[in-house]
Amino acid sequence: MAKIMGTDAQAISAAADALSRGELVAIPTETVYGLAADATNGEAVARIFEAKGRPHFNPLICHVASIAMAERYAEIDSLSRRLIEQFWPGPLTLVLPLRAGTAIHPLVAAGLDTIALRMPRGVAGAIIAALDRPLAAPSANTSGRISGTSAEAVADDLGTRIALILDAGPSEVGLESTIVRVEGETVSLLRPGGLAAEEIEAALGRKLVRLDQRAAIQAPGMLTSHYAPAAAVRLNARELRDGEALLAFGPERAAGAEKAAATLNLSPGGDLREAAANLFGFMKQLDRLGGASIAVEPIPFTGLGEAINDRLTRAAAPRGLAVDELERTR
């Protein structure tokens, strides 16, 4: 079973030592907990795919401790640099062209000529700085399942497959990072996340391009079925069916809510930031009850609601890897 430590200097040193040996370490970030490995060590990166049961065509986000570290591995255009200067460290990932001869292992990029880079806040950045190498770190959960937003959730899911978990308490943001890609003057939103698209648009003075859901996979989190509990998920529920658990939002309830097997409210006051922070933890709690279905009340698509609805839509999608997912990687 994985050892669980706090986030003091001893824990940071222990994490850096384990990572330097090619081991996997679950680290807290402001978004969700990440399953980290040295991104320059191919065997270590392969262990991430093995531990998560993750398809090898699904690329990984690389985490850096500074802009200077990012520049070692990627070519940074002027628009991307503006976003970096405004939003790093924070929940923004940029898909950038790989530098020639980069030390990042090809498994991280899943055969693409780009790399997804992010600079996390807090203890994760300190670990990367101590290691002085980037970390490949997808969410710390079995592939396709609910992302871990606490050390306990990670231990329950992956505790027998990894060496060490650092515990910083519940994740602050609770959703994975927003992913964007700049190509010339076009800035595309590849995955909505913990930084609202409207904030990025305000910083750039232009609209983000939303991709069709059948677009080729260019970044993590683009699989149709993802972030899913064992129970089925039913969206935009305005009435409750027999035996369902209820994932509520705001002050008003769906018809028949009183007969729910269990109810958790993402934000009684309708605060999308609070809802984002609670989303994965509440889905996991309702899933533990063993019900066949989780009904989800409607959630606005504004601000962080876009990312919340993205995760819920993927959680509700048909399970398993469909043929069309494979076709999108070719």
Side-chain angles (χ1 to χ4, degrees), residues 142-294:
T142 300
S143 186
R145 294 301 185 186
I146 301 171
S147 299
T149 55
S150 69
E152 179 185 19
V154 176
D156 286 346
D157 190 350
L158 299 176
T160 61
R161 304 178 222 170
I162 60 179
L164 178 64
I165 301 171
L166 267 58
D167 186 356
S171 302
E172 174 192 347
V173 176
L175 290 174
E176 295 83 359
S177 60
T178 302
I179 304 180
V180 301
R181 181 177 184 178
V182 176
E183 296 176 280
E185 295 299 308
T186 300
V187 186
S188 300
L189 178 67
L190 303 186
R191 179 182 75 182
L195 177 65
E198 291 89 338
E199 293 188 54
I200 300 171
E201 290 171 338
L204 293 177
R206 68 186 69 198
K207 286 287 187 181
L208 297 178
V209 175
R210 267 71 168 178
L211 298 185
D212 184 281
Q213 285 202 348
R214 291 186 57 85
I217 294 172
Q218 303 179 48
M222 293 182 70
L223 292 178
T224 300
S225 178
H226 212 31
Y227 316 110
V233 176
R234 186 169 66 90
L235 304 181
N236 299 314
R238 299 184 184 278
E239 77 292 323
L240 212 66
R241 299 172 184 170
D242 290 342
E244 286 186 321
L246 178 63
L247 188 61
F249 176 78
E252 298 181 5
R253 295 286 63 75
E258 68 281 355
K259 65 182 181 182
T263 299
L264 290 173
N265 195 326
L266 291 170
S267 175
D271 185 311
L272 290 169
R273 191 170 299 278
E274 180 184 18
N278 287 330
L279 178 63
F280 289 137
F282 281 13
M283 288 174 66
K284 188 174 285 288
Q285 288 183 53
L286 292 176
D287 201 32
R288 286 195 185 115
L289 297 173
S293 180
I294 299 171

Side-chain angles (χ1 to χ4, degrees), residues 3-327:
K3 182 178 182 180
I4 299 179
M5 301 181 70
T7 57
D8 58 11
Q10 182 181 1
I12 290 170
S13 178
D17 288 345
L19 290 161
S20 69
R21 296 192 299 269
E23 296 177 359
L24 302 183
V25 178
I27 61 172
T29 79
E30 73 276 39
T31 57
V32 297
Y33 277 66
L35 182 60
D38 177 356
T40 68
N41 182 332
E43 290 186 7
V45 174
R47 290 189 185 104
I48 291 178
F49 289 95
E50 181 181 10
K52 285 176 63 71
R54 183 184 179 98
H56 281 69
F57 60 76
N58 196 6
L60 305 175
I61 291 178
C62 235
H63 295 70
V64 297
S66 65
I67 298 175
M69 183 179 285
E71 289 174 328
R72 294 183 210 166
Y73 305 105
E75 302 283 352
I76 303 176
D77 59 273
S78 59
L79 284 179
S80 295
R81 191 171 295 276
R82 279 171 58 186
L83 293 175
I84 284 170
E85 290 171 352
Q86 182 150 349
F87 296 114
W88 277 14
L92 174 66
T93 294
L94 291 163
V95 174
L96 299 162
L98 275 165
R99 279 193 180 277
T102 177
I104 290 175
H105 195 273
L107 269 177
V108 177
L112 301 174
D113 59 2
T114 56
I115 189 70
L117 288 183
R118 182 169 97 83
M119 186 196 302
R121 294 198 294 260
V123 65
I127 294 168
I128 298 165
L131 184 67
D132 195 31
R133 291 192 291 279
L135 293 180
S139 55
N141 57 283
T142 300
S143 186
R145 294 301 185 186
I146 301 171
S147 299
T149 55
S150 69
E152 179 185 19
V154 176
D156 286 346
D157 190 350
L158 299 176
T160 61
R161 304 178 222 170
I162 60 179
L164 178 64
I165 301 171
L166 267 58
D167 186 356
S171 302
E172 174 192 347
V173 176
L175 290 174
E176 295 83 359
S177 60
T178 302
I179 304 180
V180 301
R181 181 177 184 178
V182 176
E183 296 176 280
E185 295 299 308
T186 300
V187 186
S188 300
L189 178 67
L190 303 186
R191 179 182 75 182
L195 177 65
E198 291 89 338
E199 293 188 54
I200 300 171
E201 290 171 338
L204 293 177
R206 68 186 69 198
K207 286 287 187 181
L208 297 178
V209 175
R210 267 71 168 178
L211 298 185
D212 184 281
Q213 285 202 348
R214 291 186 57 85
I217 294 172
Q218 303 179 48
M222 293 182 70
L223 292 178
T224 300
S225 178
H226 212 31
Y227 316 110
V233 176
R234 186 169 66 90
L235 304 181
N236 299 314
R238 299 184 184 278
E239 77 292 323
L240 212 66
R241 299 172 184 170
D242 290 342
E244 286 186 321
L246 178 63
L247 188 61
F249 176 78
E252 298 181 5
R253 295 286 63 75
E258 68 281 355
K259 65 182 181 182
T263 299
L264 290 173
N265 195 326
L266 291 170
S267 175
D271 185 311
L272 290 169
R273 191 170 299 278
E274 180 184 18
N278 287 330
L279 178 63
F280 289 137
F282 281 13
M283 288 174 66
K284 188 174 285 288
Q285 288 183 53
L286 292 176
D287 201 32
R288 286 195 185 115
L289 297 173
S293 180
I294 299 171
V296 184
E297 292 180 344
I299 295 171
F301 276 80
T302 56
L304 289 178
E306 181 176 10
I308 294 169
N309 279 290
D310 172 82
R311 303 305 188 271
L312 289 168
T313 299
R314 296 178 194 277
R319 306 298 165 81
L321 181 62
V323 173
D324 67 332
E325 301 283 10
L326 290 169
E327 291 296 331

